[in-house]
Amino acid sequence: MRKSENALANMIQKSSNTTLLQKRLNALHIGAALLENVWNHEAEPHPYTKEEITEARLVLVGLFPSLESMYAKSKAGSPQKTLLERRIKAFHLAVQAMDSYRLSNGD
């Protein structure tokens, strides 16, 4: 999230189109909130609607091919590969939390 926030700040300064990055950043925030919900066993700690969660899920799932491609190209045992492993695992857990939330709320 921090890298995306920094990139967004730089893009805004350069007057670049930030729509895609804003969607990704929002999806990361929603995923993190739902993971915290699961880890803390909280009933309803986030302000997100089902529609926002569904859109965030689609954004995160859409990132898997590029993450997996970068992972395949990274050198075994490198810090980059370790970071990508953790990032992919976190994204999978976030998507699972989103799926669980949607299922438990009638979708």
Side-chain angles (χ1 to χ4, degrees):
M1 279 191 280
R2 196 165 303 135
K3 279 186 169 187
S4 293
E5 289 168 346
N6 290 337
L8 182 61
N10 289 333
M11 289 175 73
I12 289 171
Q13 287 177 353
K14 295 177 184 177
S15 300
S16 299
N17 187 350
T18 61
T19 305
L20 178 61
L21 186 54
Q22 286 175 330
K23 280 186 176 186
R24 287 180 177 174
L25 188 55
N26 188 48
L28 294 172
H29 283 289
I30 292 171
L34 289 174
L35 283 174
E36 286 182 28
N37 177 17
V38 170
W39 293 332
N40 296 327
H41 306 289
E42 296 174 356
E44 194 70 35
H46 59 79
Y48 303 109
T49 66
K50 288 183 208 178
E51 292 79 19
E52 290 171 319
I53 293 169
T54 299
E55 183 177 337
R57 183 190 182 283
L58 291 173
V59 170
L60 292 182
V61 168
L63 292 173
F64 284 128
S66 63
L67 288 172
E68 291 166 354
S69 173
M70 287 186 287
Y71 180 79
K73 293 176 186 176
S74 61
K75 185 178 174 185
S78 70
Q80 186 66 24
K81 191 158 193 129
T82 302
L83 175 66
L84 285 165
E85 285 173 359
R86 292 176 182 169
R87 188 170 290 158
I88 291 168
K89 183 176 181 178
F91 280 28
H92 277 290
L93 291 172
V95 168
Q96 286 176 353
M98 291 173 178
D99 289 342
S100 294
Y101 178 81
R102 289 176 32 202
L103 287 174
S104 68
N105 288 290
D107 276 356

